[in-house]
Amino acid sequence: MIVKGKILSCKLPEQSLLFFLTSLILLWFSPPCIYAGDRQVFIVSEFGLRPEPGYDNSPLFAKAITSIKAKTRKGTKVRIVFPKGHYEFYPEKAVKRTLYISNHEQDNPKTIGLMLDDMENVTIDGGGSEFVFHGRMIPIALIRSSACTLTNFSIDFADPQIAQARILANDTTSGETIYKMEPWVDYEVTDSTLYVKGHGWKETLHTCIAFDPLTRHIIYNTADEWVKTTGVEDIGDRRIRARGWNNRRLRPGTVMAMRGWKRPSPGLFFSYNKDVTVKNVSVHYAEGMGLLAQLCNGIVLDSFSVCLKGKQDPRYFTTQADATHFSGCKGKIVVRNGIYESMMDDAINVHGTYLKIIGKEGDNSVIARYMHPQAYGFDWGQKGDKVQFVKASTMEITGKTNRIASITPVDKPIDEGVKLFRIVFDRPLPDMADSCAYGIENLTWTPKVLFEKNIIRNNRARGALFSTPRKVVVQNNLFDHVSGTGILLCGDCNGWYETGACRDVTIRHNVFDNTLTCMFQFTNAIISIYPEIPDLKGQTKYFHSGIAIEDNVFRTFDNPIVYAKSVDGLTIRRNKIINNHDFPAFHWNKKPFLLERVRRARISDNTNEKEIIP
């Protein structure tokens, strides 16, 4: 020891000496943690992660999380920081998990680049980094966690499964088309078939979305266009000659985003979480949704975008499916300040899932089933959840609400992978002449939604979809050249089995700029209230209710503004319609407001440039 500047000998007991030496070794070899009050900060570079091309960070991140969990003091807030850089992740040594993900392919196990489970009060701060993934992976999975934040990074793939090519020549007389594959696309022509390939995968693609090379808008009056990739020949300089293909809409210069229909993995997957925030995060590609959240309670997306890398990005596409998708969530979903562009489906879709009743067991029990092949395997309900019964043919609520007394899997020993449930209810079932003609909706797992100050542009299919009975506000958004309907209020117990009826929706102060340039499913107007009701004539009740569309601006070359079916209580007022001649009018619906089986409709004070619309 040191006393008044003199060094005195100090003989430690043997156990104390061993402890002292062990502590020194741990301090030397263990990655440090910075303490700041009630916060712990971990820097990933101390765990061996490096922003270098070709360097696989997948196994290192998994080890880092294990170490961080062991070092985290209970009750502290944890911040995991990436020094700014370009981090790559490969599938071979990444985490593998069995995960059943709503509205995706149920191929298991899944491969995850950054696996985050059982976390609390954790922030992942990318520091402005690029996270680049290879092959087929879920970039980030956050499961069974609470009060977590993901911020300041982007997600992309080195080898996206969407290919891109440009039309060089299109002789519609002879039926010969020549297109050129973009420089980054890895491909081969074998036995006269064009294959696109990447890290561990190889596909042949048969459809495309066609983009204008100057505006990046989807080509007017196109949809899912067929691409000839069989019976073709490689004529050099990345050019492909296709004979027997005649599509006048694909003029020379057209950019084709060539795609298949698989959607194995979202960019971010959230499940069983509470109070999650995503801020300043961009997804540039995912072979599924940009973000898929299921069974979560409270989510805020602030400046979360599914977008291109700016105006100079050579790609014209982003995700294979929706930008954001929320299945069976509750609490409040807030999505604001985002850019959603060039994806192959909607900007946002919020819904639950109907189970179809397969049979009754006594007065208060049923066997019920997940029906869609992309929606099964995850929890549907819990004891105490509030439910209601819906007749599939008319989409009418039958009987009063009930509650789950117990729910157990039938076809699996545990919930994982289950399709069939035995559900016992607190009270007797309503009168159902044919119980197999009914579905069940879980009302507990339904969220409120605020969707505001977002830009949705140049995407396939539709803009925003909502199917929840709780309050929905859609305000101050720009829907710019969305190829289909801008906003869809749906509900379907026959095909996708996505619940349910909307009861309180306000759509206000939005701008719709040349929306609905192409025809897709449910695209009867710029705003389409379109539940799937096979027997509308047999319906005696109404599906949706309490919808207000007010103070919006519609800049359009065509006529259909609002289509509504089976609504009790619809207000359309103070909307401004500005007609232009940017494209020829083509839609079959020639009425600004087309209503089918709607009561208590109030339409007033809607104007266009020349006349007041009654």
Side-chain angles (χ1 to χ4, degrees), residues 147-192:
C148 290
T149 298
L150 306 179
T151 186
N152 299 329
F153 60 84
S154 66
I155 290 172
D156 199 4
F157 277 76
D159 49 353
Q161 288 78 18
I162 296 177
Q164 190 170 301
R166 291 177 184 257
I167 300 290
L168 297 183
N170 183 358
D171 189 337
T172 56
T173 301
S174 66
E176 178 177 290
T177 301
I178 296 175
Y179 55 92
K180 184 174 183 177
M181 308 303 294
E182 297 285 21
W184 68 85
V185 178
D186 190 7
Y187 74 95
E188 65 182 50
V189 175
T190 304
D191 297 328
S192 301

Side-chain angles (χ1 to χ4, degrees), residues 264-405:
S265 303
L268 295 97
F269 173 55
F270 295 167
S271 187
Y272 298 102
N273 300 318
K274 179 176 171 57
D275 297 331
V276 172
T277 298
V278 183
K279 186 174 178 61
N280 296 328
V281 171
S282 296
V283 175
H284 301 307
Y285 178 74
E287 197 186 6
M289 314 293 183
L291 181 149
L292 187 287
Q294 64 189 33
L295 305 169
C296 291
N297 183 355
I299 297 176
V300 175
L301 306 185
D302 190 350
S303 302
F304 171 79
S305 296
V306 172
C307 59
L308 303 170
K309 299 177 189 177
K311 294 181 179 179
Q312 302 305 314
D313 192 343
R315 292 186 196 165
Y316 281 62
F317 61 86
T318 54
T319 54
Q320 183 68 266
D322 298 352
T324 67
H325 199 106
F326 302 88
S327 176
C329 294
K330 67 179 181 178
K332 188 171 184 178
I333 295 169
V334 177
V335 180
R336 56 163 59 105
N337 302 320
I339 296 175
Y340 303 106
E341 64 182 346
S342 306
M343 58 277 181
M344 298 295 109
D345 237 319
D346 321 313
I348 182 173
N349 188 347
V350 181
H351 67 87
T353 304
Y354 287 113
L355 294 184
K356 180 178 173 60
I357 296 176
I358 303 301
K360 288 176 64 176
E361 293 186 334
D363 293 335
N364 67 334
S365 179
V366 300
I367 302 296
R369 178 185 176 90
Y370 277 122
M371 295 301 294
H372 196 277
Q374 288 182 335
Y376 72 89
F378 45 89
D379 285 348
W380 182 82
Q382 301 171 3
K383 181 179 178 180
D385 284 357
K386 187 178 179 180
V387 302
Q388 65 185 10
F389 301 90
V390 176
K391 188 175 182 181
S393 61
T394 60
M395 297 298 289
E396 293 174 297
I397 297 170
T398 300
K400 297 181 179 180
T401 59
N402 210 325
R403 290 191 182 274
I404 297 175

Side-chain angles (χ1 to χ4, degrees), residues 6-26:
K6 296 181 180 180
I7 301 177
L8 304 178
S9 64
C10 179
K11 186 175 181 179
L12 295 172
E14 186 175 337
Q15 288 182 336
S16 297
L17 181 61
L18 179 61
F19 175 79
F20 177 71
L21 292 173
T22 302
S23 298
L24 283 177
I25 291 169
L26 287 173

